[in-house]
Amino acid sequence: MLRLTPLLPRNSPPVSTADDFVIQFIQDKGLVSPADIAVARAALTDIKEGQNPDSLLLAKVVEGGKVAWPAITAALGQEFDMEVVNLEQVTPAEELLKLIGREQAERHNILPLQMDGVELLVAISDPLDTETLDSLSRVLKLALNPKLATPDDLKAAIHRCYSGGQVSVSYEDVFGKAEDGGISVELPQGGDVKEDDAPIIRYVNSLIVDAIRRKASDIHLEPLEKRFRVRFRIDGVLQEMKGPPKRLQASIISRLKLMAEVSLAEKRIPQDGRIQARTGGRDIDLRVSVLPTVYGESIVMRILDKEGLKLGLPELGFFADDQAKFQGLISGSDGVFLVTGPTGSGKSTTLYSALNYINKPDRKIITVEDPVEYQMAGINQVQVKRDVGMTFAAALRAMLRQAPNIVMIGEIRDLETAEIAINAALTGHMVFSTLHTNDSVSAVTRLVDIGVKPFLVSAALRGALAQRLVRRVCQSCAQPYAPSAKELYSIGMTVQDIAGATPMKGAGCQKCGNRGYKGRRGVFELFVITEEVQEMIYSGANLVDLRRKAREAGMRTMREDGQRKVASGMTTIEEVLGSTVSDDIP
C-alpha cells in the first residue's frame, strides 16, 4: 500500500526555502561574507514565538543589499542543475490552473506552467522542497519537471495568473473546502494510469468527499442502459445525484476497483474490497462491493465513519427508562446479550456504543468480526478469514484462551458458533452478538432453530434488543405539529395520548437539504429475561406465549417506542409507520 499524506495540508506553515542551507550556501559561493551574516544576525531583535530565525536572517541579508534573490536563484539553479525561468510573460492554460488551487499555489509557491508530453512543468522557488513535489506527483499521477524562479517573481506570477478570471474550478473545489481539510486515500501501487486519467481521479475523490460532507452512509454507482446513475443513501433514503456521462462509466469503475484492490480483469463474479480515506482529521473506511449486472459492474461503497462510535447511549435514541435497563444488562458479569434487526438497522453502532460504554482498563474485551468495521482503542479485534480457516467458531475458541472478560461476536450464524458463545457465557464471560430476526423475542426461537438446546438458551440468555432506525426531525427547522385523529389512529394513538405533548415536523431548511429530517435515531424493543421467561424457555414455550409474557412484564414494542418518540417531537408518524409493524398482541 502507498499512503498519500494530505496534499499540501492547509494547517502547515508556508513552505519557504531551507533557509539555513541557503545561508551557508551563499557564504560558500562567496555571494556574502561571514561578516555580512554576522551584521544581519546582530540586527535581528524581538523574534516572536513561531517565527523561523533562519528565515528572518536570510530576509535581513537580502534587505541589506548584500545579495539579491536573482543571484541566489541563479546559483541554486546551477548547483541543482535546474533551469531558471522568467515568469513575466507566462500564462498557463486554464486546465492546468484547475489542478492546483490558488490558495495552495500561494501557500507553497508553486505554479503549473505547461504540459510537455507526459510531464507537467512547474515553477518553484525552493529546490529542496521535494515532499510537496512528490505528493503532488502521486495525486495527479503525472511526472513533474520543476523549474526555478525567484520567490518574488513567483509570487507575482501566481497573483497575476489566478486573478485573470479564467479559473472557475480550483483544486479545493474537487478535493474539499477548508472545513474538510482535503482527502487522502490509500492507493495500491502499480496500475496503468495515463495522462488522461487525472480527471477521473479527481472525479472519484470529489464523489467520496461529497458523500462524506452530506453524511451519506452509502454511495451507489449503477450502470443503466443509457446512463450511469449515482445515488447517495442519506438518513436511510436513497437520493439521486448528478451522474457522470455514460462514456466515463468504464474508467470510473476501473479507478474504484484499483483503489479497492480488487481484480480489474475479473468482470464475471462479485468482488469485495476496501478503501481507506482521511478527511477533516477523521479516518474513513469504505467497504466496496462490486456486482456484475447486465449493463456493467454496479459498485456500492459503504462509508464507515469512526466518529459514529463516539455516540453515547442517549444519542442512540434511548429514553431514560430503557437506557437504565440497557445499561444494567450490558454491565453484567456473564451471559449472552443479543441485538437483532435487519441489515442497516444500526445493530453494529449499538453494539460498538455498548462496548465503548463498558470499556474500562480493568476489563479485557475481544471481538471477532467479518469485517472489522471500526477500530476501537483498548479493544482486541480479530478479523475473520475463512480462506485460512479463521471462522467465527475457530476465532472464538482461540479467544477464550486469552482470558477475556467480554466477548463480542459480529454475528451468530450457525450452531457451532452459537454453542461456543453459550458455553462462554456459562463459564463466566459476557458475550455480545447480533441475530437477523424481526423482533427481540424471536431471538429465543432463532437460537433453538439453529440447534441450541432450550435449557442452554434459558441458562445463558440475559436479554435481546430489537431495533429499527427512524429519521429525526431537523432541530433547525422543527415546528409544532398537530396530527389529525386519522393520522394518530394509523399509528395506534388517540388525541388523548398526545395531550400535553408537542409533536414536531421539519419545515425544511438549508441544513437538512429541505427534507425536514437530519440524522437518525433508534426505536427499540428491549426483552429482559426474567425467571418466569427462563422457565418458559426451558419448557419449550412458543413465540406467542413468550411475547405475551414479555408484554405482561412491561416490555414495550418498537411501535410503542415509536409512539413515544412521535409525542416527544423526535420523529414523525410517517417514519414510525415506515419502520415498524403494528402490534399483534395488545
Side-chain angles (χ1 to χ4, degrees):
M1 298 292 288
L2 172 64
R3 177 179 287 276
L4 295 187
T5 54
L7 174 63
L8 311 183
R10 293 177 175 274
N11 294 327
S12 63
V15 175
S16 62
T17 311
D19 302 303
D20 53 346
F21 169 83
V22 174
I23 292 169
Q24 186 62 48
F25 175 76
I26 59 179
Q27 286 188 73
D28 295 341
K29 292 295 182 180
L31 299 178
V32 294
S33 66
D36 295 330
I37 298 296
V39 170
R41 195 184 301 276
L44 285 180
T45 58
D46 192 25
I47 300 176
K48 298 179 181 178
E49 184 178 355
Q51 289 183 323
N52 185 345
D54 291 322
S55 179
L56 295 176
L57 177 58
L58 182 58
K60 277 288 184 185
V61 171
V62 175
E63 289 172 7
K66 299 299 182 181
V67 66
W69 268 115
I72 296 175
T73 302
L76 288 171
Q78 185 177 7
E79 179 72 14
F80 289 94
D81 194 23
M82 295 176 65
E83 180 185 351
V84 178
V85 292
N86 184 349
L87 300 178
E88 289 184 2
Q89 304 300 323
V90 168
T91 305
E94 179 180 351
E95 57 267 23
L96 297 183
L97 293 176
K98 291 178 181 179
L99 294 179
I100 305 174
R102 175 172 183 164
E103 181 181 338
Q104 303 292 3
E106 290 177 341
R107 179 177 293 275
H108 299 278
N109 250 12
I110 185 168
L111 178 70
L113 301 177
Q114 67 181 57
M115 287 297 304
D116 182 10
V118 295
E119 289 185 336
L120 174 63
L121 274 58
V122 296
I124 61 173
S125 60
D126 183 358
L128 299 177
D129 186 17
T130 57
E131 183 178 353
T132 293
L133 293 173
D134 288 344
S135 296
L136 184 58
S137 176
R138 288 197 299 266
V139 169
L140 297 181
K141 291 296 180 182
L142 293 172
L144 300 187
N145 185 351
K147 309 293 183 182
L148 272 185
T150 68
D152 293 340
D153 288 351
L154 188 52
K155 182 177 180 181
I158 291 172
H159 177 75
R160 172 174 53 80
C161 293
Y162 284 92
S163 300
Q166 56 181 339
V167 182
S168 58
V169 181
S170 68
Y171 190 90
E172 288 80 2
D173 292 326
V174 176
F175 284 91
K177 300 295 183 182
E179 61 268 23
D180 292 307
I183 183 169
S184 62
V185 183
E186 282 202 358
L187 303 176
Q189 294 184 7
D192 295 328
V193 181
K194 304 175 184 177
E195 175 186 343
D196 293 339
D197 291 338
I200 300 298
I201 295 171
R202 295 199 303 275
Y203 171 77
V204 168
N205 280 331
S206 69
L207 182 72
I208 295 172
V209 171
D210 190 31
I212 293 171
R213 273 199 197 130
R214 296 172 183 263
K215 299 188 182 301
S217 60
D218 304 278
I219 304 172
H220 294 250
L221 295 97
E222 303 161 315
L224 303 179
E225 183 179 5
K226 296 182 178 179
R227 64 191 181 102
F228 189 33
R229 182 166 67 178
V230 176
R231 294 191 289 178
F232 293 167
R233 190 181 296 277
I234 302 174
D235 292 337
V237 178
L238 281 171
Q239 299 181 26
E240 189 157 346
M241 302 290 120
K242 183 179 179 181
K246 178 72 173 177
R247 59 185 171 82
L248 298 180
Q249 173 182 309
S251 299
I252 292 171
I253 290 174
S254 294
R255 175 61 184 168
L256 286 168
K257 290 174 71 175
L258 182 69
M259 294 170 70
E261 293 189 282
V262 300
S263 173
L264 294 176
E266 183 57 73
K267 299 182 180 179
R268 301 165 299 170
I269 61 175
Q271 298 185 83
D272 294 311
R274 188 168 187 165
I275 298 172
Q276 294 180 327
R278 183 173 178 82
T279 179
R282 293 153 47 204
D283 290 323
I284 307 289
D285 284 351
L286 294 96
R287 235 167 57 198
V288 182
S289 171
V290 183
L291 179 69
T293 68
V294 174
Y295 299 110
E297 292 173 291
S298 172
I299 293 184
V300 175
M301 293 182 282
R302 179 79 180 274
I303 300 173
L304 305 175
D305 184 357
K306 297 179 183 178
E307 291 295 313
L309 296 182
K310 296 181 180 178
L311 291 176
L313 299 183
E315 283 74 28
L316 294 176
F318 283 111
F319 283 124
D321 51 352
D322 282 340
Q323 182 178 328
K325 293 180 184 177
F326 182 71
Q327 289 174 345
L329 286 170
I330 65 176
S331 300
S333 59
D334 58 30
V336 176
F337 182 80
L338 300 172
V339 180
T340 75
T343 301
S345 59
K347 300 187 299 295
S348 294
T349 299
T350 297
L351 272 184
Y352 278 117
S353 296
L355 291 180
N356 196 43
Y357 173 77
I358 60 178
N359 185 14
K360 302 291 189 297
D362 61 343
R363 297 175 180 175
K364 179 164 185 173
I365 303 176
I366 306 181
T367 74
V368 53
E369 306 167 62
D370 183 22
V372 175
E373 294 189 357
Y374 304 100
Q375 295 174 1
M376 298 184 67
I379 293 179
N380 302 275
Q381 296 174 272
V382 178
Q383 170 73 53
V384 168
K385 296 179 181 178
R386 291 183 176 82
D387 54 340
V388 296
M390 179 67 88
T391 62
F392 275 107
L396 189 51
R397 277 194 295 266
M399 286 163 52
L400 296 179
R401 293 194 287 271
Q402 295 280 313
N405 301 104
I406 298 161
V407 172
M408 194 272 272
I409 310 169
E411 182 183 351
I412 294 178
R413 305 182 180 185
D414 52 46
L415 176 59
E416 186 179 14
T417 304
E419 285 183 333
I420 297 173
I422 294 288
N423 289 331
L426 294 176
T427 53
H429 302 85
M430 189 69 198
V431 180
F432 296 93
S433 190
T434 67
L435 277 178
H436 287 288
T437 63
N438 289 329
D439 56 56
S440 59
V441 182
S442 296
V444 173
T445 54
R446 174 62 177 154
L447 289 174
V448 174
D449 288 342
I450 288 175
V452 181
K453 302 299 183 185
F455 75 90
L456 291 176
V457 177
S458 170
L461 191 62
R462 296 290 177 263
L465 178 76
Q467 68 178 63
R468 300 291 188 275
L469 294 177
V470 294
R471 289 185 293 176
R472 185 186 185 191
V473 174
C474 175
Q475 301 301 293
S476 299
C477 60
Q479 298 177 352
Y481 167 69
S484 66
K486 183 178 179 180
E487 290 175 305
L488 291 171
Y489 177 78
S490 68
I491 200 177
M493 300 177 72
T494 65
V495 175
Q496 288 72 29
D497 292 332
I498 62 169
T502 310
M504 307 290 281
K505 255 194 176 180
C509 65
Q510 185 177 1
K511 289 188 176 180
C512 64
N514 293 314
R515 296 186 299 271
Y517 299 97
K518 188 172 178 62
R520 288 190 290 177
R521 293 292 185 269
V523 289
F524 304 104
E525 179 180 282
L526 185 57
F527 176 40
V528 179
I529 306 297
T530 63
E531 289 186 3
E532 289 181 291
V533 172
Q534 278 185 317
E535 292 176 1
M536 293 178 67
I537 296 173
Y538 186 90
S539 303
N542 61 41
L543 178 62
V544 173
D545 290 338
L546 286 172
R547 190 168 182 79
R548 181 180 290 112
K549 176 58 68 176
R551 295 289 301 279
E552 289 174 0
M555 183 188 78
R556 267 187 297 270
T557 65
M558 286 181 282
R559 174 60 62 88
E560 289 171 336
D561 192 42
Q563 292 171 355
R564 292 204 301 168
K565 285 165 182 173
V566 168
S568 70
M570 181 184 294
T571 189
T572 63
I573 291 175
E574 292 81 6
E575 284 295 299
V576 175
L577 283 174
S579 301
T580 63
V581 296
S582 60
D583 303 322
D584 297 327
I585 302 174

